[in-house]
Amino acid sequence: MANVVELIPEVNLIKDEKIRENLISAVNAIEKESGVDLAQFPLGHGITEPGSLMSHSRALVKMALAVADVIEEINNIKVNRDYLIAGCILHDIAIVYGRENEIKHSFTGAFLARDHNLPEEIVKIVATHAKEGELVKRSLEATIVYHVDFMHLEILTGEHYTQVIVRP
């Protein structure tokens, strides 16, 4: 079984001990339930390297924290870094169940976060990080996760993942 703290040491930046413990519990549970080794699991999107799912999540943590630094310094807007880090780590975790499920990975991941007593704000980050979240108002932290996720995927694959949705 992979050790999430070894794979993503930034877990230790989560100040709220309960969030940190529940996040680790959620990651351990999905690995146990799915039977996969997260340290070896590929991201998908044509990216097949072992471990690329967790390296993608770690990249998102680092990118999101950099964005938070800028937003706080330049715009004087406070970002909840505990929510941001947890959301980045959990955003794609349910991909281990497969991409062809009837329920999208963003929702399966949100259920996982809720089942492990993570704050509703983290549940919403996971639920709205993908295109399915386009029609709802995202929190500041969810907006950051959404954009760094698609930016990182586009950098890795060269494919454009965002879409324009015309709202009434």
Side-chain angles (χ1 to χ4, degrees):
M1 184 180 329
N3 179 331
V4 68
V5 178
E6 289 177 7
L7 294 173
I8 305 176
E10 292 78 11
V11 166
N12 289 318
L13 296 175
I14 297 175
K15 293 179 181 174
D16 185 309
E17 189 174 319
K18 185 174 181 183
I19 291 176
R20 188 173 55 252
E21 289 173 358
N22 290 350
L23 169 69
I24 292 169
S25 174
V27 172
N28 290 341
I30 200 163
E31 188 172 45
K32 183 177 179 181
E33 291 168 11
S34 68
V36 304
D37 178 0
L38 288 173
Q40 297 301 315
F41 199 83
L43 175 59
H45 297 286
I47 302 165
T48 58
E49 292 84 17
S52 55
L53 172 64
M54 295 308 283
S55 63
H56 168 64
S57 294
R58 183 170 188 215
L60 260 60
V61 169
K62 295 174 85 58
M63 294 167 73
L65 289 173
V67 171
D69 287 342
V70 171
I71 297 297
E72 289 181 345
E73 178 186 340
I74 304 299
N75 303 106
N76 200 31
I77 299 172
K78 180 73 175 135
V79 178
N80 187 312
R81 291 166 184 263
D82 287 356
Y83 296 168
L84 193 63
I85 294 167
C88 287
I89 293 170
L90 291 178
H91 85 287
D92 273 349
I93 199 82
I95 286 174
V96 301
Y97 291 123
R99 292 185 178 277
E100 303 305 319
N101 286 339
E102 290 179 24
I103 300 175
K104 296 286 191 175
H105 75 280
S106 53
F107 301 129
T108 306
F111 295 141
L112 174 78
R114 181 172 285 147
D115 288 347
H116 286 271
N117 301 311
L118 287 160
E120 205 56 29
E121 292 85 349
I122 296 170
V123 172
K124 289 177 183 175
I125 291 170
V126 177
T128 64
H129 84 275
K131 293 176 185 175
E132 296 81 29
E134 281 292 318
L135 298 177
V136 298
K137 181 162 175 48
R138 292 184 177 100
S139 67
L140 170 61
E141 294 79 11
T143 300
I144 294 170
V145 172
Y146 170 78
H147 286 288
V148 297
D149 182 26
F150 283 107
M151 182 170 59
H152 191 242
L153 286 174
E154 190 168 331
I155 289 166
L156 292 177
T157 66
E159 295 181 27
H160 186 68
Y161 284 92
T162 57
Q163 66 183 17
V164 176
I165 294 180
V166 178
R167 294 190 174 119

